Amino acid sequence: MTRTIRKAAVIGSGVMGSAITAHLANVGIPCLLLDIVPAALTPQEEEAGLTLSSPKVRNRLALNAIALLKKTNPAPLYSEEFAERITPGNVEDHLNLLADVDWIIEVVTERLEIKKSILSKIESVRKPGTIVSTNTSGISVNAMSEHLSEEFQKHFLGTHFFNPPRYMKLLEVIPSEKTDSEVVNFMTAFCEKNLGKGVVIAKDTPNFISNRIGTYGLLVTLQEMVNKGYTVEEVDAVTGPAMGRPKSATFRTLDLVGIDTFVHVANNVFDNVSSETEKAAFAVPEVLKDLVSRGWIGEKGGQGFYKKVKTDQGNQILSLNIQTMEYAPSAKVKSASLEASKAAKGAKAKLKALLATPDRYSELSWNILKQVLVYSAEKLGEIADSIVDIDNAMKWGFNWEFGPFETWDLIGLRRSVERMEAEGATVPSWVKDWLAAGNESFYQNQGGKLFYYSRGEYKGVETRPEIISLKALKEQNKIIRSNSGANLIDIGDDVALLEFTSPNNAIGADILAMIQQSADEVRNNYRGLVIANEGRNFSVGANIMLMLMEAQSGEWDELNDIIHMFQTSMMKLKKLEKPVVAAPHRMTLGGGVEACLPADRILFSAETYFGLVETGVGLIPAGGGCKELVLRTSLANPDPEADLQPAINRIFETIAMAKASTSGHDTKRLGYMRPQDSVIINQDFRIYEAKQAVLEMDRAGYTPPLPSKARVVGRDGRAVLELVTYTMRLGGYISEHDQKIANKLANILTGGDVPAGTMVTEQYLLDLEREAFLSLLGEQKTQERMQYMLAKGKPLRN
């Protein structure tokens, strides 16, 4: 049968239920949100004259949850307006509406009997064939549904979202013994494409994959800490980026998750495994029990392993001494191994450096790592059938840089197994059999194709056309051109891709040179160009360190040449006779935005934080960003009598206040998204979709945009904006230097000293940009802002 999900329902409007509902709304799925009927009125309801039969009261929990979605930070919604796609209700009055949805998600309290009860109610009203899933972090999917009909069980499975659902990539799909394989396959594909998830298939075992291994790893870490006398700060210094883990490391993570929540998750394994050895491993340490009994459960309790206090010097972070249960100021941790790791470039090199430099911190990392690797190997076949699913679960669910089996390969499989056994560890027999057969790794790259261990042999990772790997293409020698900051790559079907590779993908002369070379190459030999990369962020903007150094050295001719080169490079992209599609993701700021604006289409990743933020370092956009928005405003209002001032005011506010979008969808609110632009939910698919957009335009007979002039609001419009900045300066809202920057920006956006209605060329506006940029770059206060940003990573107000 052909399935689709047009409408969904979520039962349970707590933190997870409402956030899952928000993400369904994010991707365009209308959703019903139901919860129980309150048993009593609030004082506010009584004062308003409401009764227990009033719909506002009966739907209170869902209504409050929807209202909270608009206030929560980080935002669960891509755009606040998407909350309109959620319909509130309750399970007494609106249960019958479940007959009209295609997917029902149960997200009630993590207690088996409560879940069984609500599933029985769902079965009484759902139409046959409707998919029902449970969001649980570890309760048995089979046990929940064993009392229900076979038809229900065929369409029932676990869908374990990770919190927060919008941002966390992992979704564990847990089939029951009776779930139809067609349902599993459909849900896997749907959740990947439509929800943007990384899906792994987990077995119906306690805590499934990610929480099983992650919880084990945290408990092992605690045990090492207690046994060897490490401090909270020492453990977090080792178990963060040095080991390829998030900055929150161990104890900041526990504080964020909630120590009480972690104890519940650990107890779920302890209560549901039969092995005494495993029970002992998941026994909750006394220190955690003590913290829970004191109410020191992490951030939601005001304190946990860390505590923030206010002092005369500002906020101070204290850390817990687990021997005395007292707090003291956090101390910096330094050692040879940590310094070696910090100096190494890239996550792989950091971990290797940490392990290769012997000291007590290197020892801690090894003792944690060896136990987690052995445990992961022991659980293969029990919690999941594939090492790829286990690795992906840890990368996507716990934000590890490498999964356990990838880590084992990285540190040397044979060498590390020999060390483990020499130290008394029991390595699973299948790992030793694999080594005995002459294999040296769990993964193997053969001609750009990846193979992995599967049941005693190498199996090829499934090649999926919608996932284009630039790393794999480079291994297949598909690079057309290359320099120190960028590559031009053949991505197939006569389409080329421009990839930035500089640190933070900051745009400098090397990238600009490659843009110009790429335009020439594509014009002569390719059907079109995609601009995308696989970096952590698309681009943080221009290389401000380089510009600051040049300015402080007085190299003004060189700076003028660089800005001119930036502008001509962007114009070359815009005028290219072949289609250009940009596919930005995550942080796309300043010059990164200006590299996208000339494209015929922009395919924003759902998580794209897009903005011209140069005023934050005392500058204005000078790579065509201002010009492009002024031109778009003029072209969108061809009537010569149309008032452009309101639109120019909005652009001025957006750039002057360094606003960036909070999502790909939010670029529309800020005026960056055009009708031909769109949002790609699954970031892994964006290069493929950008390539398809190039091919579509090529097949349709692409012609580049004709040169255009912009109608500007002129000196009268500039006076309007300058009055705004004057008033704000007078009121103390902005500094004198802020006012100077804003007035320079106003001069560009209004077209300079010309009458209202004047038609100006793109080059004229570019010249205004370049002049303003260079003059601001010469200002001492701007240089101070640039230095502060480089040193502190945040803007200076001076």
Side-chain angles (χ1 to χ4, degrees):
M1 63 182 291
T2 302
R3 285 190 179 274
T4 187
I5 292 176
R6 300 183 187 88
K7 192 173 182 182
V10 173
I11 316 297
S13 65
V15 172
M16 279 304 292
S18 59
I20 290 169
T21 307
H23 195 55
L24 294 172
N26 281 337
V27 301
I29 299 173
C31 201
L32 186 65
L33 179 61
L34 305 183
D35 212 314
I36 61 172
V37 175
L41 294 172
T42 65
Q44 293 84 359
E45 288 168 342
E46 287 182 351
E47 190 176 332
L50 300 174
T51 68
L52 287 174
S53 61
S54 301
K56 277 190 175 181
V57 175
R58 296 179 70 79
N59 299 337
R60 182 210 303 155
L61 295 180
L63 284 166
N64 287 351
I66 295 168
L68 191 60
L69 290 175
K70 300 176 184 179
K71 303 173 185 177
T72 302
N73 188 27
L77 293 162
Y78 290 150
S79 173
E80 280 190 19
E81 66 189 42
F82 292 171
E84 296 171 7
R85 298 168 180 171
I86 305 171
T87 303
N90 66 76
V91 292
E92 291 183 19
D93 302 331
H94 306 111
L95 202 66
N96 62 310
L97 298 180
L98 299 183
D100 191 38
V101 305
D102 306 298
W103 181 16
I104 302 165
I105 311 173
E106 168 275 304
V107 199
V108 301
T109 304
E110 285 281 85
R111 288 171 56 187
L112 178 59
E113 292 308 314
I114 294 176
K115 287 183 178 289
K116 290 175 74 171
S117 173
I118 199 69
L119 291 174
S120 294
K121 291 180 180 179
I122 291 170
E123 184 178 38
S124 70
V125 295
R126 72 178 269 278
K127 65 178 182 284
T130 301
I131 293 173
V132 181
S133 71
T134 175
N135 181 74
T136 174
S137 58
I139 297 177
S140 170
V141 175
N142 284 293
M144 278 186 223
S145 59
E146 61 189 4
H147 65 297
L148 301 171
S149 69
E150 188 167 334
E151 194 277 337
F152 185 100
Q153 290 184 66
K154 281 185 176 180
H155 297 89
F156 180 68
L157 71 166
T159 49
H160 180 209
F161 289 82
F162 274 62
N163 191 31
R166 168 184 163 180
Y167 301 95
M168 293 301 290
K169 184 173 180 176
L170 180 63
L171 177 68
E172 292 178 322
V173 166
I174 310 103
S176 74
E177 292 172 358
K178 295 187 177 178
T179 308
D180 194 310
S181 60
E182 177 269 328
V183 171
V184 176
N185 293 338
F186 168 77
M187 288 301 291
T188 298
F190 177 84
C191 292
E192 284 182 343
K193 182 175 182 180
N194 296 74
L195 301 187
K197 294 298 172 188
V199 177
V200 299
I201 305 298
K203 295 198 173 186
D204 189 20
T205 55
N207 290 12
F208 313 127
I209 303 173
S210 190
N211 277 342
R212 183 74 167 267
I213 293 175
T215 303
Y216 178 84
L218 283 165
L219 289 169
V220 161
T221 303
L222 270 166
Q223 185 181 50
E224 287 295 316
M225 174 189 187
V226 171
N227 292 345
K228 304 288 176 61
Y230 292 99
T231 66
V232 165
E233 300 100 309
E234 287 176 324
V235 171
D236 274 358
V238 172
T239 59
M243 284 183 68
R245 310 283 171 81
K247 288 181 180 178
S248 56
T250 297
F251 295 115
R252 291 188 193 281
T253 297
L254 279 170
D255 280 357
L256 286 167
V257 168
I259 295 166
D260 56 336
T261 301
F262 177 79
V263 167
H264 170 77
V265 172
N267 280 334
N268 189 55
V269 181
F270 182 87
D271 293 338
N272 290 284
V273 294
S274 55
S275 163
E276 290 304 318
T277 302
E278 195 161 12
K279 273 187 179 293
F282 282 88
V284 175
E286 290 302 318
V287 63
L288 295 187
K289 293 178 183 177
D290 191 3
L291 286 169
V292 172
S293 70
R294 293 169 184 252
W296 298 358
I297 55 175
E299 284 201 355
K300 61 186 177 183
Q303 62 195 91
F305 285 100
Y306 291 96
K307 179 181 179 181
K308 184 187 289 186
V309 295
K310 290 185 177 179
T311 69
D312 294 339
Q313 287 76 40
N315 289 332
Q316 185 178 22
I317 303 297
L318 308 180
S319 61
L320 182 69
N321 181 320
I322 64 169
Q323 275 78 40
T324 65
M325 297 303 284
E326 294 176 348
Y327 289 94
S330 292
K332 289 275 186 183
V333 180
K334 286 190 174 183
S335 81
S337 63
L338 291 171
E339 290 303 310
S341 177
K342 191 175 180 180
K345 300 294 183 183
K348 291 181 180 180
K350 287 182 183 298
L351 176 57
K352 285 184 173 182
L354 177 67
L355 292 170
T357 311
D359 61 21
R360 66 192 303 262
Y361 300 119
S362 176
E363 180 186 0
L364 174 62
S365 64
W366 167 252
N367 287 338
I368 293 168
L369 204 56
K370 72 176 178 182
Q371 293 181 76
V372 172
L373 299 185
V374 167
Y375 185 74
S376 301
E378 289 174 350
K379 294 299 121 183
L380 180 65
E382 180 183 335
I383 62 174
D385 285 330
S386 166
I387 67 167
V388 176
D389 277 344
I390 292 176
D391 279 347
N392 285 338
M394 299 317 299
K395 290 189 291 184
W396 298 338
F398 274 69
N399 293 318
W400 291 6
E401 290 282 351
F402 322 104
F405 298 98
E406 291 173 326
T407 301
W408 221 331
D409 282 357
L410 172 63
I411 65 175
L413 177 57
R414 187 176 298 277
R415 185 172 64 253
S416 59
V417 166
E418 289 171 354
R419 181 178 174 184
M420 289 172 187
E421 292 194 301
E423 293 173 356
T426 304
V427 177
S429 59
W430 73 263
V431 176
K432 292 191 286 186
D433 291 344
W434 183 244
L435 286 169
N439 300 294
E440 298 295 330
S441 62
F442 293 118
Y443 291 92
Q444 193 176 78
N445 196 314
Q446 298 177 11
K449 184 171 175 57
L450 188 63
F451 293 79
Y452 67 97
Y453 169 89
S454 177
R455 302 181 188 277
E457 61 183 12
Y458 278 119
K459 181 179 179 181
V461 173
E462 179 187 359
T463 301
R464 302 179 57 184
E466 65 267 36
I467 298 179
I468 295 176
S469 167
L470 300 184
K471 180 182 177 184
L473 288 170
K474 287 184 281 190
E475 288 170 351
Q476 295 166 29
N477 298 316
K478 297 293 185 179
I479 294 178
I480 305 162
R481 291 174 177 264
S482 182
N483 68 17
S484 59
N487 295 316
L488 185 66
I489 303 169
D490 185 339
I491 59 172
D493 297 313
D494 295 324
V495 177
L497 178 142
L498 176 63
E499 173 198 36
F500 302 160
T501 60
S502 61
N504 296 315
N505 290 334
I507 298 175
D510 46 6
I511 288 179
L512 297 176
M514 185 55 66
I515 287 173
Q516 301 214 16
Q517 293 172 30
S518 297
D520 294 335
E521 184 75 38
V522 169
R523 178 184 299 109
N524 296 327
N525 300 309
Y526 290 85
R527 296 168 70 179
L529 177 68
V530 170
I531 305 174
N533 62 67
E534 293 174 335
R536 186 177 295 276
N537 299 297
F538 178 81
S539 174
V540 298
N543 188 333
I544 63 171
M545 180 181 287
L546 175 64
M547 290 188 294
L548 177 61
M549 289 170 60
E550 296 281 11
Q552 291 175 334
S553 302
E555 301 290 346
W556 296 106
D557 288 342
E558 190 165 334
L559 280 165
N560 182 67
D561 290 345
I562 290 173
I563 303 307
H564 186 262
M565 184 182 185
F566 200 142
Q567 293 179 342
T568 56
S569 299
M570 298 306 108
M571 289 300 291
K572 199 163 186 177
L573 281 177
K574 185 171 183 178
K575 295 176 181 179
L576 185 61
E577 295 87 343
K578 302 291 178 70
V580 178
V581 177
H585 67 285
R586 293 186 59 80
M587 287 175 63
T588 305
L589 305 175
V593 170
E594 292 175 308
C596 295
L597 292 180
D600 298 288
R601 290 187 195 173
I602 304 176
L603 302 188
F604 298 97
S605 169
E607 298 301 337
T608 305
Y609 318 121
F610 195 87
L612 295 167
V613 297
E614 285 86 347
T615 59
V617 290
L619 298 167
I620 52 91
C626 299
K627 176 267 297 181
E628 199 63 31
L629 294 181
V630 171
L631 182 61
R632 288 184 186 184
T633 300
S634 176
L635 294 174
N637 296 273
D639 181 352
E641 300 301 316
D643 184 7
L644 301 180
Q645 190 71 48
I648 294 298
N649 292 349
R650 287 193 293 273
I651 295 169
F652 175 74
E653 180 182 338
T654 297
I655 300 177
M657 296 182 69
K659 291 182 179 181
S661 70
T662 57
S663 69
H665 291 86
D666 193 46
T667 58
K668 184 176 182 180
R669 176 181 64 87
L670 295 181
Y672 291 115
M673 183 184 285
R674 302 162 295 181
Q676 68 265 39
D677 300 331
S678 58
V679 176
I680 304 299
I681 300 299
N682 191 319
Q683 182 174 301
D684 294 341
F685 296 176
R686 63 197 163 81
I687 294 175
Y688 169 82
E689 294 294 348
K691 175 183 170 182
Q692 297 310 305
V694 165
L695 295 173
E696 176 193 328
M697 285 187 278
D698 177 65
R699 285 191 294 266
Y702 176 79
T703 54
L706 295 171
S708 302
K709 288 188 175 182
R711 180 165 62 94
V712 295
V713 295
R715 62 177 73 96
D716 293 342
R718 185 181 66 196
V720 171
L721 298 181
E722 288 179 345
L723 178 61
V724 172
T725 63
Y726 174 77
T727 305
M728 292 186 73
R729 173 77 182 96
L730 211 59
Y733 296 106
I734 61 175
S735 68
E736 183 179 348
H737 194 55
D738 290 328
Q739 184 180 11
K740 179 177 287 189
I741 298 163
N743 286 345
K744 296 273 188 184
L745 175 64
N747 187 60
I748 301 164
L749 297 179
T750 57
D753 192 21
V754 297
T758 300
M759 301 296 291
V760 300
T761 65
E762 292 184 66
Q763 188 58 54
Y764 172 82
L765 291 171
L766 289 172
D767 290 342
L768 291 180
E769 282 187 8
R770 191 167 71 257
E771 179 187 357
F773 184 93
L774 292 170
S775 67
L776 285 170
L777 191 53
E779 295 277 348
Q780 180 63 33
K781 287 186 181 296
T782 285
Q783 293 182 16
E784 289 170 3
R785 291 189 179 194
M786 295 170 77
Q787 286 174 321
Y788 193 84
M789 177 63 75
L790 289 167
K792 305 286 187 180
K794 56 185 179 182
L796 170 69
R797 293 296 303 276
N798 60 351

